[in-house]
Amino acid sequence: MFPAMRSLRGISIAVFVVQALLASVALVSAKGSTNLSRWQTLSGNAPFVIARGGFSGIFADSSVDAYSLALSTGPPDVILWCDVQLTKDAAGICFPDLKLDNNSDIAVVYENQQKAYLVNGASTKGWFAIDYTLKDLRNVILTQGVYSRTNKFDGNGYTIMTVQDTYTQFKPPGFWLNIQHDAFYAQHNLSMRNFVLSVTRNVNVTVDYISSPEVAFLQSIAERFRRSATKLVFRFLGQNDVEPSTNQTYDSLLKNLTFIKTFASGIIVPKSYIWPVDGSLYLLPSTSVVLDAHKERLEVFASEFYNDVPFSFSYSYDPVAEYLKFVDNGNFSVDGVISDFPITPSAALDCFAHLGKNASKQADLLVISKNGASGDFPGCTDLAYLKAIEDGVDVLDCPVQMTGDGTPICLGSINLIDSTTIAQSSFSNLTATIPEIGQGSGIFTFNLSWSDIQSLTPVISSPQSDFQLFRNPKLKNAGKFLTLSDFLAMAKNASSLHGVLIGIENAPYLSEQGFGVTDAVLNALSKAGYDEQTAQTVMIQSSNSSVLKKFKGKTNYKLVYKVDEDIGGAPSGTIDDIKRLASAVVISKDSVFPKNAAFLTGVTNVVPRLQAANLSVFVQTFSNEFTSQAWDFFSDATVEINSFYMGAGINGVITDFPKTSDRYRRNRCLNRGSKIPGYMSPVQPGGLWLLITLPYLPPAEAPNPYLTEGDVVEPPLPPVAAKTPTSNLSGAATAPTSPNGQPKVAACVIAPLTAMLIAIYLLF
Ligand SMILES: *[C@@H]1O[C@H](CO)[C@@H](O)[C@H](O)[C@H]1NC(C)=O
Ligand SMILES: *[C@@H]1O[C@H](CO)[C@@H](O)[C@H](O)[C@H]1NC(C)=O
Ligand SMILES: *[C@@H]1O[C@H](CO)[C@@H](O)[C@H](O)[C@H]1NC(C)=O
Ligand SMILES: *[C@@H]1O[C@H](CO)[C@@H](O)[C@H](O)[C@H]1NC(C)=O
Ligand SMILES: *[C@@H]1O[C@H](CO)[C@@H](O)[C@H](O)[C@H]1NC(C)=O
Ligand SMILES: *[C@@H]1O[C@H](CO)[C@@H](O)[C@H](O)[C@H]1NC(C)=O
Ligand SMILES: *[C@@H]1O[C@H](CO)[C@@H](O)[C@H](O)[C@H]1NC(C)=O
Ligand SMILES: *[C@@H]1O[C@H](CO)[C@@H](O)[C@H](O)[C@H]1NC(C)=O
Ligand SMILES: *[C@@H]1O[C@H](CO)[C@@H](O)[C@H](O)[C@H]1NC(C)=O
Ligand SMILES: *[C@@H]1O[C@H](CO)[C@@H](O)[C@H](O)[C@H]1NC(C)=O
Ligand SMILES: *[C@@H]1O[C@H](CO)[C@@H](O)[C@H](O)[C@H]1NC(C)=O
Ligand SMILES: *[C@@H]1O[C@H](CO)[C@@H](O)[C@H](O)[C@H]1NC(C)=O
């Protein structure tokens, strides 16, 4: 089944484990199931997936595991890309960079042997292949050259492979040689021309494409390949970069595609040539490059697709959405995409392209929003909710908070600093620390009236801001907050909704302060007509069982117990406690697939045990930003969702990007029974972890604690205290008093200032 198994010269043991990474299922033809006539490619066939250096997004570029993983996660006609460098003894090796110190440990092996050469006129320092024979390079090890990617496989001993070995070991369905620097090698009397002619003459190596950004090189071989099956492709670099043999910018070369066609049958363009972005990284209208090239009968390959480099905000951090824009936009399709993460375009092309909004659901997976579509708009605003509905959410969520004047509203946090600019407003002096609510200070919803809260500016959440990943900056302050009643009216009006989920936290504290949040929720639901027989389900969610008890038996609402911590297991007694109260449980992603150093280490039995007790299992939080996902999911939210659904069998996702989850369950690859392709197979939790060698293995971590009965069983909610006088509301004016009548200590306002500054820094 696995092509890499035939010839194993110099192959690392890791390759065997890579196969186990993906549940082994039969591959089916990507082309077989898609409607060919829909592709607006030059040939009318589906575009190609070209794996740059193999699956270089996870393993070292050009390494045996990178190529193996590309084969097992790509379509049956995946093309393996090899960047060719020449050694001193004219051997062609696959290596991504002219400088060997980028992507290998050569700087350690040949310490102090750095050289400087002119490369396209610029003096460049480093270790160059021209100074080493193939034999010299035998003990040089490939490493991850992109520092934001994991270096945990750098101990795996991946050796540098020749072009021919790469071909014979993998017998790839498609093989692509990129010759980035012919001029440089020519200066050193090494001929790329001789190399490609000899390698393609060798009957056992079939080269499908040869690309280069150098006109003279392609011209020099064009005649020899005119009648061969090998296609020549001109590679465009940056628009203002100068092509060394014509001394023209790539931009000006783009203006005469007729000229390009004289020596090439296709072009590679960076993706921004096709879909440019504005200065803030939002998409501009597409250019006519693809249509122009197709008019010249030139194939177009788009490059620079990386799941883990921030791309246009217009895609909401969803890499599948980006590929679809290039192959399924109604006007044109590129003929291939060059990717470091080939699993993503493979699924995009075969499973998601031309799906249509009405494609039927193939997965029994409930999509529950997290503060609406809070990946795209400030959480719990009208815009976030409308977007979630538009995006196909099943269950719209409202985390209920109480205002000082007793109005239940929807807001992701009881602390207004988390979702508004209140820290910079005149209400900033309402900052307080309330240990019952949590550590640190905040400005709490119950200290402002509803009208004051309405006057605040919403702020989009940016949970990945530590990694400089921010959400939708253009609309980061858009939208209006809603009362629970507004929310219910909006939800009831949306016929596509399956239901609403009302989250209640901090009820005991609120009760003591005179806010009866459970009654307020019951009231609002009743007023909105949700206690009659409605088509929509009402779910009440809390992490405190005493809240759910208040609803138990009174209504036919579905009760959802939220487990606040990461758990490693749940004993029967605890599950029975939950079962007595609730019909569904919310757990964290880590409680399903625990991880260490962002690698999955295995799978718990929490999901099957809860399901055996007839409890539905919802998991949170599924986000599109790649930094929120374990390495195992290849920086692709769809792979993560698929692995939780197909691999762990969860019943629902809680997500701030409902569009991605809804689209996932409509994908056409899910209904292929036992013929699910590799790219739509769940990852093997712990598969990557097994590949890490000892010196790189992170220290073992203690497993997550078990959920115990003490966690679930709680004393009943305290009675609602006598209502706090509303005069306290402006807070500002009257010095707040504590229950014992003593004025509050001023110090509690001073300490929070630093916290506020930190909060402001994080928000902007
Ligand atoms: C392919 O798509 C075209 C246009 O959408 C449609 O007319 C045709 O019937 C489809 N063919 C198949 C085999 O589904
Ligand atoms: C190293 O190589 C990667 C591609 O493998 C490239 O993206 C990066 O820019 C290179 N870094 C340097 C310093 O040349
Ligand atoms: C390349 O070959 C030419 C002619 O054989 C010779 O003069 C030149 O020195 C060589 N250059 C290098 C860099 O080896
Ligand atoms: C081509 O492959 C065959 C069988 O795999 C082998 O016997 C032969 O030596 C190879 N030829 C060359 C030129 O490598
Ligand atoms: C390349 O073009 C620049 C200006 O566009 C000119 O200054 C330079 O001399 C040219 N170089 C060659 C080798 O033609
Ligand atoms: C474009 O290239 C073709 C083919 O080389 C040439 O005949 C033509 O004059 C060029 N057009 C322009 C505007 O340079
Ligand atoms: C398709 O082309 C039409 C006409 O040029 C244009 O109005 C439309 O925006 C294009 N659509 C896309 C997705 O580029
Ligand atoms: C999709 O479904 C909606 C509602 O069921 C319908 O109004 C719309 O016409 C459908 N669109 C397509 C393209 O079938
Ligand atoms: C209900 O939906 C309709 C259209 O679907 C819309 O015009 C109306 O404003 C909505 N009402 C509320 C209260 O959201
Ligand atoms: C749950 O609520 C009870 C009051 O009903 C309270 O005593 C308990 O501390 C709460 N538990 C948590 C974890 O907040
Ligand atoms: C905030 O509200 C709580 C509960 O009503 C009250 O005890 C406290 O004094 C208020 N704090 C401020 C600063 O107004
Ligand atoms: C809080 O700020 C308001 C408005 O700026 C001001 O009127 C009030 O005096 C301040 N209150 C305190 C306790 O600092």
Side-chain angles (χ1 to χ4, degrees), residues 619-644:
V619 178
Q620 67 173 14
T621 304
F622 287 85
S623 301
N624 282 358
E625 292 100 335
F626 60 91
T627 47
S628 70
Q629 300 147 11
W631 295 112
D632 304 67
F633 303 124
F634 307 126
S635 303
D636 181 342
T638 299
V639 176
E640 182 179 51
I641 297 161
N642 184 49
S643 297
F644 276 85

PDB file of all heavy atoms in Angstrom, residues 619-644:
ATOM      1  N   VAL A 619     -17.491  19.347  22.819  1.00  0.00           N
ATOM      2  CA  VAL A 619     -16.094  19.663  23.131  1.00  0.00           C
ATOM      3  C   VAL A 619     -15.796  21.110  22.742  1.00  0.00           C
ATOM      4  O   VAL A 619     -16.263  21.605  21.713  1.00  0.00           O
ATOM      5  CB  VAL A 619     -15.149  18.677  22.408  1.00  0.00           C
ATOM      6  CG1 VAL A 619     -13.690  19.024  22.674  1.00  0.00           C
ATOM      7  CG2 VAL A 619     -15.437  17.253  22.873  1.00  0.00           C
ATOM      8  N   GLN A 620     -14.994  21.775  23.593  1.00  0.00           N
ATOM      9  CA  GLN A 620     -14.631  23.158  23.298  1.00  0.00           C
ATOM     10  C   GLN A 620     -13.140  23.376  23.483  1.00  0.00           C
ATOM     11  O   GLN A 620     -12.500  22.602  24.170  1.00  0.00           O
ATOM     12  CB  GLN A 620     -15.413  24.107  24.196  1.00  0.00           C
ATOM     13  CG  GLN A 620     -15.044  24.003  25.660  1.00  0.00           C
ATOM     14  CD  GLN A 620     -15.718  25.088  26.484  1.00  0.00           C
ATOM     15  OE1 GLN A 620     -16.644  25.756  26.049  1.00  0.00           O
ATOM     16  NE2 GLN A 620     -15.235  25.267  27.681  1.00  0.00           N
ATOM     17  N   THR A 621     -12.599  24.403  22.881  1.00  0.00           N
ATOM     18  CA  THR A 621     -13.135  25.338  21.916  1.00  0.00           C
ATOM     19  C   THR A 621     -12.401  25.132  20.603  1.00  0.00           C
ATOM     20  O   THR A 621     -11.172  25.090  20.600  1.00  0.00           O
ATOM     21  CB  THR A 621     -12.903  26.788  22.377  1.00  0.00           C
ATOM     22  OG1 THR A 621     -13.474  26.976  23.691  1.00  0.00           O
ATOM     23  CG2 THR A 621     -13.494  27.797  21.410  1.00  0.00           C
ATOM     24  N   PHE A 622     -13.125  25.011  19.526  1.00  0.00           N
ATOM     25  CA  PHE A 622     -12.522  24.811  18.216  1.00  0.00           C
ATOM     26  C   PHE A 622     -12.348  26.167  17.538  1.00  0.00           C
ATOM     27  O   PHE A 622     -13.325  26.849  17.259  1.00  0.00           O
ATOM     28  CB  PHE A 622     -13.396  23.882  17.367  1.00  0.00           C
ATOM     29  CG  PHE A 622     -13.323  22.455  17.839  1.00  0.00           C
ATOM     30  CD1 PHE A 622     -14.137  21.999  18.865  1.00  0.00           C
ATOM     31  CD2 PHE A 622     -12.394  21.584  17.284  1.00  0.00           C
ATOM     32  CE1 PHE A 622     -14.048  20.698  19.326  1.00  0.00           C
ATOM     33  CE2 PHE A 622     -12.296  20.274  17.734  1.00  0.00           C
ATOM     34  CZ  PHE A 622     -13.123  19.827  18.760  1.00  0.00           C
ATOM     35  N   SER A 623     -11.093  26.527  17.338  1.00  0.00           N
ATOM     36  CA  SER A 623     -10.777  27.813  16.710  1.00  0.00           C
ATOM     37  C   SER A 623      -9.972  27.572  15.455  1.00  0.00           C
ATOM     38  O   SER A 623      -9.326  26.538  15.305  1.00  0.00           O
ATOM     39  CB  SER A 623      -9.963  28.691  17.677  1.00  0.00           C
ATOM     40  OG  SER A 623     -10.694  28.919  18.857  1.00  0.00           O
ATOM     41  N   ASN A 624      -9.990  28.557  14.567  1.00  0.00           N
ATOM     42  CA  ASN A 624      -9.271  28.375  13.304  1.00  0.00           C
ATOM     43  C   ASN A 624      -7.790  28.699  13.395  1.00  0.00           C
ATOM     44  O   ASN A 624      -7.008  28.198  12.594  1.00  0.00           O
ATOM     45  CB  ASN A 624      -9.901  29.244  12.211  1.00  0.00           C
ATOM     46  CG  ASN A 624     -11.177  28.624  11.659  1.00  0.00           C
ATOM     47  OD1 ASN A 624     -11.569  27.537  12.069  1.00  0.00           O
ATOM     48  ND2 ASN A 624     -11.822  29.319  10.745  1.00  0.00           N
ATOM     49  N   GLU A 625      -7.391  29.540  14.346  1.00  0.00           N
ATOM     50  CA  GLU A 625      -5.979  29.918  14.376  1.00  0.00           C
ATOM     51  C   GLU A 625      -5.121  28.679  14.639  1.00  0.00           C
ATOM     52  O   GLU A 625      -5.374  27.931  15.586  1.00  0.00           O
ATOM     53  CB  GLU A 625      -5.714  30.948  15.478  1.00  0.00           C
ATOM     54  CG  GLU A 625      -6.348  32.300  15.237  1.00  0.00           C
ATOM     55  CD  GLU A 625      -7.645  32.478  16.011  1.00  0.00           C
ATOM     56  OE1 GLU A 625      -8.290  31.444  16.345  1.00  0.00           O
ATOM     57  OE2 GLU A 625      -7.996  33.635  16.284  1.00  0.00           O
ATOM     58  N   PHE A 626      -4.090  28.504  13.803  1.00  0.00           N
ATOM     59  CA  PHE A 626      -3.290  27.281  13.903  1.00  0.00           C
ATOM     60  C   PHE A 626      -2.598  27.152  15.254  1.00  0.00           C
ATOM     61  O   PHE A 626      -2.325  26.043  15.710  1.00  0.00           O
ATOM     62  CB  PHE A 626      -2.267  27.205  12.763  1.00  0.00           C
ATOM     63  CG  PHE A 626      -1.285  28.346  12.725  1.00  0.00           C
ATOM     64  CD1 PHE A 626      -0.079  28.250  13.384  1.00  0.00           C
ATOM     65  CD2 PHE A 626      -1.574  29.501  12.035  1.00  0.00           C
ATOM     66  CE1 PHE A 626       0.835  29.297  13.357  1.00  0.00           C
ATOM     67  CE2 PHE A 626      -0.669  30.559  11.998  1.00  0.00           C
ATOM     68  CZ  PHE A 626       0.527  30.454  12.670  1.00  0.00           C
ATOM     69  N   THR A 627      -2.330  28.260  15.920  1.00  0.00           N
ATOM     70  CA  THR A 627      -1.651  28.183  17.212  1.00  0.00           C
ATOM     71  C   THR A 627      -2.561  27.610  18.306  1.00  0.00           C
ATOM     72  O   THR A 627      -2.086  27.289  19.393  1.00  0.00           O
ATOM     73  CB  THR A 627      -1.158  29.570  17.653  1.00  0.00           C
ATOM     74  OG1 THR A 627      -2.228  30.506  17.466  1.00  0.00           O
ATOM     75  CG2 THR A 627       0.030  30.003  16.820  1.00  0.00           C
ATOM     76  N   SER A 628      -3.840  27.478  18.015  1.00  0.00           N
ATOM     77  CA  SER A 628      -4.749  26.897  19.017  1.00  0.00           C
ATOM     78  C   SER A 628      -4.839  25.385  18.853  1.00  0.00           C
ATOM     79  O   SER A 628      -5.546  24.722  19.602  1.00  0.00           O
ATOM     80  CB  SER A 628      -6.148  27.510  18.877  1.00  0.00           C
ATOM     81  OG  SER A 628      -6.763  27.068  17.673  1.00  0.00           O
ATOM     82  N   GLN A 629      -4.128  24.847  17.867  1.00  0.00           N
ATOM     83  CA  GLN A 629      -4.260  23.418  17.558  1.00  0.00           C
ATOM     84  C   GLN A 629      -2.952  22.678  17.835  1.00  0.00           C
ATOM     85  O   GLN A 629      -1.876  23.238  17.674  1.00  0.00           O
ATOM     86  CB  GLN A 629      -4.618  23.246  16.072  1.00  0.00           C
ATOM     87  CG  GLN A 629      -5.931  23.926  15.683  1.00  0.00           C
ATOM     88  CD  GLN A 629      -5.921  24.463  14.267  1.00  0.00           C
ATOM     89  OE1 GLN A 629      -5.020  24.157  13.497  1.00  0.00           O
ATOM     90  NE2 GLN A 629      -6.908  25.282  13.951  1.00  0.00           N
ATOM     91  N   ALA A 630      -3.067  21.402  18.187  1.00  0.00           N
ATOM     92  CA  ALA A 630      -1.872  20.572  18.358  1.00  0.00           C
ATOM     93  C   ALA A 630      -1.185  20.395  16.997  1.00  0.00           C
ATOM     94  O   ALA A 630      -1.844  20.457  15.957  1.00  0.00           O
ATOM     95  CB  ALA A 630      -2.267  19.201  18.927  1.00  0.00           C
ATOM     96  N   TRP A 631       0.129  20.158  17.033  1.00  0.00           N
ATOM     97  CA  TRP A 631       0.882  19.945  15.774  1.00  0.00           C
ATOM     98  C   TRP A 631       0.250  18.850  14.940  1.00  0.00           C
ATOM     99  O   TRP A 631       0.266  18.887  13.709  1.00  0.00           O
ATOM    100  CB  TRP A 631       2.323  19.526  16.071  1.00  0.00           C
ATOM    101  CG  TRP A 631       3.167  20.546  16.759  1.00  0.00           C
ATOM    102  CD1 TRP A 631       3.658  20.490  18.034  1.00  0.00           C
ATOM    103  CD2 TRP A 631       3.664  21.787  16.210  1.00  0.00           C
ATOM    104  NE1 TRP A 631       4.412  21.610  18.305  1.00  0.00           N
ATOM    105  CE2 TRP A 631       4.437  22.421  17.207  1.00  0.00           C
ATOM    106  CE3 TRP A 631       3.523  22.415  14.966  1.00  0.00           C
ATOM    107  CZ2 TRP A 631       5.068  23.649  17.012  1.00  0.00           C
ATOM    108  CZ3 TRP A 631       4.147  23.643  14.768  1.00  0.00           C
ATOM    109  CH2 TRP A 631       4.900  24.248  15.778  1.00  0.00           C
ATOM    110  N   ASP A 632      -0.280  17.832  15.614  1.00  0.00           N
ATOM    111  CA  ASP A 632      -0.854  16.659  14.949  1.00  0.00           C
ATOM    112  C   ASP A 632      -1.930  17.015  13.924  1.00  0.00           C
ATOM    113  O   ASP A 632      -2.221  16.217  13.048  1.00  0.00           O
ATOM    114  CB  ASP A 632      -1.490  15.739  15.997  1.00  0.00           C
ATOM    115  CG  ASP A 632      -0.486  15.354  17.054  1.00  0.00           C
ATOM    116  OD1 ASP A 632      -0.058  16.240  17.823  1.00  0.00           O
ATOM    117  OD2 ASP A 632      -0.112  14.181  17.111  1.00  0.00           O
ATOM    118  N   PHE A 633      -2.538  18.202  14.077  1.00  0.00           N
ATOM    119  CA  PHE A 633      -3.623  18.552  13.169  1.00  0.00           C
ATOM    120  C   PHE A 633      -3.130  19.382  11.985  1.00  0.00           C
ATOM    121  O   PHE A 633      -3.923  19.930  11.222  1.00  0.00           O
ATOM    122  CB  PHE A 633      -4.734  19.272  13.934  1.00  0.00           C
ATOM    123  CG  PHE A 633      -5.282  18.460  15.079  1.00  0.00           C
ATOM    124  CD1 PHE A 633      -5.296  18.959  16.370  1.00  0.00           C
ATOM    125  CD2 PHE A 633      -5.756  17.176  14.856  1.00  0.00           C
ATOM    126  CE1 PHE A 633      -5.783  18.198  17.430  1.00  0.00           C
ATOM    127  CE2 PHE A 633      -6.250  16.409  15.910  1.00  0.00           C
ATOM    128  CZ  PHE A 633      -6.259  16.922  17.203  1.00  0.00           C
ATOM    129  N   PHE A 634      -1.817  19.510  11.853  1.00  0.00           N
ATOM    130  CA  PHE A 634      -1.223  20.117  10.657  1.00  0.00           C
ATOM    131  C   PHE A 634      -1.698  21.550  10.399  1.00  0.00           C
ATOM    132  O   PHE A 634      -1.879  21.965   9.256  1.00  0.00           O
ATOM    133  CB  PHE A 634      -1.505  19.247   9.420  1.00  0.00           C
ATOM    134  CG  PHE A 634      -1.103  17.806   9.577  1.00  0.00           C
ATOM    135  CD1 PHE A 634      -2.001  16.777   9.350  1.00  0.00           C
ATOM    136  CD2 PHE A 634       0.190  17.474   9.979  1.00  0.00           C
ATOM    137  CE1 PHE A 634      -1.633  15.442   9.504  1.00  0.00           C
ATOM    138  CE2 PHE A 634       0.572  16.143  10.130  1.00  0.00           C
ATOM    139  CZ  PHE A 634      -0.341  15.134   9.904  1.00  0.00           C
ATOM    140  N   SER A 635      -1.941  22.278  11.470  1.00  0.00           N
ATOM    141  CA  SER A 635      -2.338  23.691  11.356  1.00  0.00           C
ATOM    142  C   SER A 635      -3.582  23.866  10.478  1.00  0.00           C
ATOM    143  O   SER A 635      -3.708  24.832   9.741  1.00  0.00           O
ATOM    144  CB  SER A 635      -1.182  24.529  10.786  1.00  0.00           C
ATOM    145  OG  SER A 635      -0.042  24.396  11.599  1.00  0.00           O
ATOM    146  N   ASP A 636      -4.492  22.922  10.580  1.00  0.00           N
ATOM    147  CA  ASP A 636      -5.690  22.937   9.742  1.00  0.00           C
ATOM    148  C   ASP A 636      -6.900  22.599  10.623  1.00  0.00           C
ATOM    149  O   ASP A 636      -7.039  21.474  11.104  1.00  0.00           O
ATOM    150  CB  ASP A 636      -5.519  21.889   8.624  1.00  0.00           C
ATOM    151  CG  ASP A 636      -6.709  21.834   7.678  1.00  0.00           C
ATOM    152  OD1 ASP A 636      -7.793  22.324   8.043  1.00  0.00           O
ATOM    153  OD2 ASP A 636      -6.546  21.272   6.584  1.00  0.00           O
ATOM    154  N   ALA A 637      -7.762  23.591  10.818  1.00  0.00           N
ATOM    155  CA  ALA A 637      -8.907  23.420  11.718  1.00  0.00           C
ATOM    156  C   ALA A 637      -9.788  22.249  11.286  1.00  0.00           C
ATOM    157  O   ALA A 637     -10.366  21.556  12.125  1.00  0.00           O
ATOM    158  CB  ALA A 637      -9.739  24.710  11.755  1.00  0.00           C
ATOM    159  N   THR A 638      -9.870  22.013   9.987  1.00  0.00           N
ATOM    160  CA  THR A 638     -10.715  20.927   9.496  1.00  0.00           C
ATOM    161  C   THR A 638     -10.159  19.566   9.922  1.00  0.00           C
ATOM    162  O   THR A 638     -10.916  18.661  10.279  1.00  0.00           O
ATOM    163  CB  THR A 638     -10.843  21.024   7.960  1.00  0.00           C
ATOM    164  OG1 THR A 638     -11.463  22.274   7.652  1.00  0.00           O
ATOM    165  CG2 THR A 638     -11.678  19.896   7.399  1.00  0.00           C
ATOM    166  N   VAL A 639      -8.841  19.436   9.898  1.00  0.00           N
ATOM    167  CA  VAL A 639      -8.224  18.178  10.341  1.00  0.00           C
ATOM    168  C   VAL A 639      -8.527  17.948  11.824  1.00  0.00           C
ATOM    169  O   VAL A 639      -8.811  16.830  12.259  1.00  0.00           O
ATOM    170  CB  VAL A 639      -6.699  18.202  10.087  1.00  0.00           C
ATOM    171  CG1 VAL A 639      -6.038  16.943  10.638  1.00  0.00           C
ATOM    172  CG2 VAL A 639      -6.400  18.352   8.603  1.00  0.00           C
ATOM    173  N   GLU A 640      -8.491  19.027  12.589  1.00  0.00           N
ATOM    174  CA  GLU A 640      -8.771  18.902  14.018  1.00  0.00           C
ATOM    175  C   GLU A 640     -10.226  18.469  14.252  1.00  0.00           C
ATOM    176  O   GLU A 640     -10.489  17.509  14.987  1.00  0.00           O
ATOM    177  CB  GLU A 640      -8.499  20.235  14.725  1.00  0.00           C
ATOM    178  CG  GLU A 640      -8.731  20.164  16.225  1.00  0.00           C
ATOM    179  CD  GLU A 640      -8.450  21.478  16.940  1.00  0.00           C
ATOM    180  OE1 GLU A 640      -8.981  22.517  16.499  1.00  0.00           O
ATOM    181  OE2 GLU A 640      -7.722  21.463  17.943  1.00  0.00           O
ATOM    182  N   ILE A 641     -11.140  19.139  13.607  1.00  0.00           N
ATOM    183  CA  ILE A 641     -12.560  18.814  13.796  1.00  0.00           C
ATOM    184  C   ILE A 641     -12.804  17.364  13.364  1.00  0.00           C
ATOM    185  O   ILE A 641     -13.465  16.585  14.055  1.00  0.00           O
ATOM    186  CB  ILE A 641     -13.451  19.778  12.975  1.00  0.00           C
ATOM    187  CG1 ILE A 641     -13.283  21.218  13.472  1.00  0.00           C
ATOM    188  CG2 ILE A 641     -14.914  19.358  13.043  1.00  0.00           C
ATOM    189  CD1 ILE A 641     -13.748  22.268  12.477  1.00  0.00           C
ATOM    190  N   ASN A 642     -12.244  17.011  12.220  1.00  0.00           N
ATOM    191  CA  ASN A 642     -12.430  15.658  11.692  1.00  0.00           C
ATOM    192  C   ASN A 642     -11.896  14.600  12.663  1.00  0.00           C
ATOM    193  O   ASN A 642     -12.517  13.554  12.868  1.00  0.00           O
ATOM    194  CB  ASN A 642     -11.716  15.545  10.347  1.00  0.00           C
ATOM    195  CG  ASN A 642     -11.943  14.203   9.685  1.00  0.00           C
ATOM    196  OD1 ASN A 642     -13.069  13.732   9.584  1.00  0.00           O
ATOM    197  ND2 ASN A 642     -10.858  13.570   9.262  1.00  0.00           N
ATOM    198  N   SER A 643     -10.752  14.896  13.275  1.00  0.00           N
ATOM    199  CA  SER A 643     -10.156  13.906  14.175  1.00  0.00           C
ATOM    200  C   SER A 643     -10.985  13.756  15.448  1.00  0.00           C
ATOM    201  O   SER A 643     -11.076  12.664  16.005  1.00  0.00           O
ATOM    202  CB  SER A 643      -8.722  14.314  14.517  1.00  0.00           C
ATOM    203  OG  SER A 643      -7.943  14.328  13.336  1.00  0.00           O
ATOM    204  N   PHE A 644     -11.594  14.835  15.901  1.00  0.00           N
ATOM    205  CA  PHE A 644     -12.455  14.725  17.077  1.00  0.00           C
ATOM    206  C   PHE A 644     -13.778  14.029  16.731  1.00  0.00           C
ATOM    207  O   PHE A 644     -14.321  13.297  17.545  1.00  0.00           O
ATOM    208  CB  PHE A 644     -12.742  16.111  17.680  1.00  0.00           C
ATOM    209  CG  PHE A 644     -11.663  16.581  18.620  1.00  0.00           C
ATOM    210  CD1 PHE A 644     -10.536  17.230  18.147  1.00  0.00           C
ATOM    211  CD2 PHE A 644     -11.757  16.355  19.984  1.00  0.00           C
ATOM    212  CE1 PHE A 644      -9.527  17.654  19.006  1.00  0.00           C
ATOM    213  CE2 PHE A 644     -10.761  16.761  20.855  1.00  0.00           C
ATOM    214  CZ  PHE A 644      -9.642  17.416  20.363  1.00  0.00           C
TER     215      PHE A 644
END
